[in-house]
Amino acid sequence: MRVPFVDLVAQYESIKIQVDDAIRQVISDSAFIGGPIVKQFEREWSRVIGSKHCVSTANGTDSLEILLQAFGVGQGDEVIVPSHSWISTAECVVTVGARPVFVDTINRLYTIDPEKIEAKITERTKAIIPVHLCGLPADIDPILRIAKKYKLTVIEDCAQSHLAEYKGKRVGTLGHAASFSFYPGKNLGAYGDAGAIVTDDDQVAEFCRRMANHGQLQKHTHMIAGRNSRLDGLQAAILLAKLPYLKEWTNLRIEKAKQYQDRLDERLNFTSIPEGYKHVFHLFVVQVENRDEVMGLLKAQGVDTAVHYPVPMPMMPAFKKYLGEGDCYEVNGKYVDKILSIPIYPELSATQIEHVASIVNSHYVKG
Ligand SMILES: *Cc1c(COP(=O)(O)O)cnc(C)c1O
């Protein structure tokens, strides 16, 4: 049985008419950059998240970078990030000229360990970027307490956590500002690169809007040297066409995860969701002892899997120079060779889940 890692074609088939109409409309209006459709998406996304402002951008990496600039983070500053995430979370810190300071994560939750943050704070620390990785919110309350104590900015990286919740509040509203990605494979995905910034802060929103559009709010009024990081009309239209289904798709992801949890052997160490968290399962991660063998076993039976992510960021060549003396990412270092992401998406069938679960389980029955 074939089980692809993601199935964007199946999703497109289910909303083909709406998406095709939306694309046709943008082309016949020649509304390729900016315009009412982009504004409408921004309005809808801030309404969905519950934030005062939404500024659309070209991608989630730009959103993070522009936010750091909005909060004045640059040369000589330090920013706390988890050791385990997609590279963008630390990359944006380097591209604004600051230094990423990595903090270890929690086993089976994969989010930053709040108890290890304070030891990494110095006079130069300006911000913390918690990541709601795999769809599970980071433990924000202690992070906000630390941020308040040391007067730090909290920028949420929500690239994998559309509609996730922490103690009844939607992610994207928990810190000072947040970044979203709508990369095609994300829980809400465009048909190309796309991103957004959300915040309640008027000044931050205005800065971001200006920065992302050549330093101008009105045509030919360039107040700062900005950049070109805009959401294009086609992507905005596609995202708007998909938006009405996001809630249903999210519930289906949660349902599929439940089916995995019911079928998988406990020894696979899948995430048990802490009380008060809503996990939206961008990824479903298990831990296995002999990962290459298990991946091969699955591949041979038609199942694609992936590893998110095989190298802790401080161990990447790109960030080696930021590794402090005696820095140790013990927890991340222990699980990194075991983690395996198995397919999860709204269109996954019960038989596909059964197929994947039985192969992964058989690895343990054997051992
Ligand atoms: C995808 C992702 C990003 C970056 O988003 P892009 O739109 O691809 O630039 C940032 N952080 C995390 C955790 C991500 O998964």
Side-chain angles (χ1 to χ4, degrees):
M1 182 185 295
R2 182 85 186 96
V3 189
F5 188 69
V6 285
D7 196 347
L8 298 180
V9 175
Q11 190 195 63
Y12 171 60
E13 293 297 339
S14 72
I15 52 165
K16 192 176 182 327
I17 296 170
Q18 294 89 319
V19 169
D20 290 357
D21 279 353
I23 291 173
R24 239 192 318 270
Q25 192 61 48
V26 172
I27 296 171
S28 61
D29 293 349
S30 287
F32 299 113
I33 304 290
I37 198 87
V38 173
K39 283 272 162 263
Q40 192 190 340
F41 176 71
E42 290 180 338
R43 267 198 311 275
E44 298 270 324
W45 192 245
S46 60
R47 186 186 51 78
V48 165
I49 298 306
S51 65
K52 192 167 169 197
H53 303 282
C54 170
V55 178
S56 57
T57 62
N59 59 70
T61 309
D62 282 3
S63 298
L64 286 169
E65 194 181 310
I66 291 166
L67 274 172
L68 285 172
Q69 292 173 316
F71 287 103
V73 177
Q75 205 79 41
D77 296 332
E78 293 179 358
V79 177
I80 306 259
V81 297
S83 60
H84 181 79
S85 183
W86 170 242
I87 186 169
S88 301
T89 311
E91 200 175 34
C92 61
V93 178
V94 175
T95 51
V96 301
R99 178 191 185 91
V101 174
F102 300 97
V103 170
D104 206 356
T105 46
I106 304 169
N107 189 26
R108 295 179 69 176
L109 302 184
Y110 309 112
T111 50
I112 193 166
D113 187 344
E115 289 186 7
K116 294 179 180 169
I117 292 177
E118 240 175 317
K120 297 279 181 112
I121 291 175
T122 72
E123 297 207 317
R124 292 179 293 276
T125 311
K126 286 283 156 58
I128 308 177
I129 309 181
V131 183
H132 310 303
L133 202 72
C134 308
L136 180 74
D139 189 5
I140 283 290
D141 280 348
I143 295 172
L144 292 177
R145 270 198 297 277
I146 294 165
K148 194 163 181 197
K149 182 170 162 191
Y150 296 94
K151 298 191 168 55
L152 309 177
T153 299
V154 176
I155 298 170
E156 296 172 80
D157 184 342
C158 301
Q160 302 190 3
S161 57
H162 314 73
L163 305 194
E165 289 174 16
Y166 176 84
K167 299 182 182 172
K169 288 171 84 179
R170 200 151 270 182
V171 303
T173 62
L174 305 169
H176 296 97
S179 154
F180 281 90
S181 165
F182 307 110
Y183 175 83
K186 301 284 158 93
N187 286 20
L188 176 62
Y191 289 167
D193 278 314
I197 287 162
V198 295
T199 185
D200 286 344
D201 187 316
D202 298 345
Q203 258 174 304
V204 167
E206 188 176 304
F207 176 93
C208 293
R209 191 170 292 290
R210 207 172 245 142
M211 178 56 78
N213 189 23
H214 300 294
Q216 63 181 357
L217 292 177
Q218 286 123 25
K219 211 174 177 86
H220 302 309
T221 314
H222 306 281
M223 305 302 285
I224 50 170
R227 57 196 285 178
N228 180 354
S229 181
R230 299 177 298 216
L231 175 67
D232 69 67
L234 282 172
Q235 302 308 338
I238 290 159
L239 289 168
L240 270 173
K242 285 184 165 197
L243 198 51
Y245 304 94
L246 181 60
K247 207 168 174 184
E248 182 191 328
W249 287 337
T250 304
N251 289 336
L252 282 167
R253 282 178 181 272
I254 294 167
E255 222 172 88
K256 308 295 164 184
K258 180 84 177 51
Q259 291 170 20
Y260 271 135
Q261 286 157 345
D262 290 344
R263 281 165 181 76
L264 290 170
D265 193 304
E266 298 260 330
R267 286 170 294 182
L268 289 158
N269 276 345
F270 47 82
T271 304
S272 55
I273 306 160
E275 185 76 28
Y277 288 56
K278 181 174 175 186
H279 190 332
V280 295
F281 290 97
H282 175 59
L283 299 169
F284 192 100
V285 179
V286 296
Q287 294 180 5
V288 291
E289 291 300 330
N290 199 343
R291 187 169 63 201
D292 288 345
E293 192 191 311
V294 180
M295 286 182 94
L297 209 64
L298 284 154
K299 185 82 203 157
Q301 301 196 56
V303 181
D304 294 338
T305 55
V307 178
H308 299 91
Y309 297 94
V311 183
M313 291 194 293
M315 307 305 160
M316 291 176 179
F319 300 127
K320 249 198 183 118
K321 68 172 185 189
Y322 303 109
L323 201 57
E325 210 170 315
D327 271 0
C328 172
Y329 304 94
E330 201 188 345
V331 176
N332 189 173
K334 261 192 200 142
Y335 68 64
V336 76
D337 294 326
K338 301 181 188 166
I339 47 175
L340 177 68
S341 307
I342 58 177
I344 185 147
Y345 35 89
E347 300 79 13
L348 205 61
S349 73
T351 30
Q352 285 175 311
I353 290 174
E354 188 62 52
H355 182 63
V356 177
S358 69
I359 302 167
V360 183
N361 281 341
S362 73
H363 167 71
Y364 273 95
V365 175
K366 248 190 339 177

